[in-house]
Structures are given as C-alpha cells and as structure tokens.
Amino acid sequence: MTQPARANQTVNSTGTHVSCVESPHSATHRLVCARVSNTPTPLPKPEMKLAQKNNPSDIIEMNFTEEESDTAIALFGCDCPSCLNALRQMRGQPPMSV
C-alpha cells in the first residue's frame, strides 16, 4: 500500500512572503502581488482632525494632460499624483509639484 502525500509549509527565514493585496493606487480595488511581513503589524489609531473650511486660494491646481492621465491609468491603474510623476519620470520629464 502507498503512503499518502503530505504537504508542509516552507520556512522563510527572511520574515516576509509574497501575497495578493489591494493596490493602494487603484480606485477599483485591483489586486497586486506584494512582499509583506510575516508578523502582523498593529493598525495605527486614526488621528482625529477638525474639519476646516477650504480657502479657495489654498487649492492647488495640478497641470497634466488627458493623454498623461489615460497612460497612467493604463500602466498603473490610476492617475494619482504619484502615478503621474512615475510616468513623467519614465519619459524623462520633470515631476509635477504636489
């Protein structure tokens, strides 16, 4: 008679593993592979802030083209300032001021 196969978990001495996590740059909750820690980190308590009225002169206008936005979405899944600046860096252009 044969012995049934048994699987054991492999030991990872680096303290990390690859896992599917939600992309922080995607509005559609797209999953990406990322290296994460084996030890769970405690969630920080959210800092409470008082609501403030926005002064229209404090609003920063970000200048980017529709083509840049579309390309950033195609490459990274979103067009946040970080993704737009990554696209600009790939093209050898200066980053947007944030």
Side-chain angles (χ1 to χ4, degrees):
M1 193 178 261
T2 61
Q3 293 287 330
R6 295 185 185 187
N8 288 329
Q9 290 184 342
T10 57
V11 176
N12 183 347
S13 61
T14 61
T16 61
H17 66 280
V18 176
S19 180
C20 287
V21 295
E22 282 189 20
S23 172
H25 300 288
S26 177
T28 60
H29 305 292
R30 187 176 73 170
L31 294 177
V32 295
C33 290
R35 186 160 297 279
V36 294
S37 175
N38 288 341
T39 57
T41 56
L43 296 175
K45 292 183 180 179
E47 185 178 311
M48 294 186 68
K49 294 183 180 180
L50 298 175
Q52 297 177 357
K53 291 185 178 180
N54 288 337
N55 186 353
S57 65
D58 292 343
I59 297 173
I60 299 172
E61 184 177 335
M62 303 183 77
N63 295 317
F64 57 93
T65 65
E66 188 172 342
E67 184 275 330
E68 285 178 314
S69 173
D70 293 342
T71 304
I73 290 171
L75 290 173
F76 307 117
C78 78
D79 63 352
C80 68
S82 296
C83 290
L84 288 168
N85 280 335
L87 175 66
R88 287 184 171 200
Q89 184 178 12
M90 289 170 49
R91 294 178 170 179
Q93 297 172 335
M96 291 188 306
S97 58
V98 183

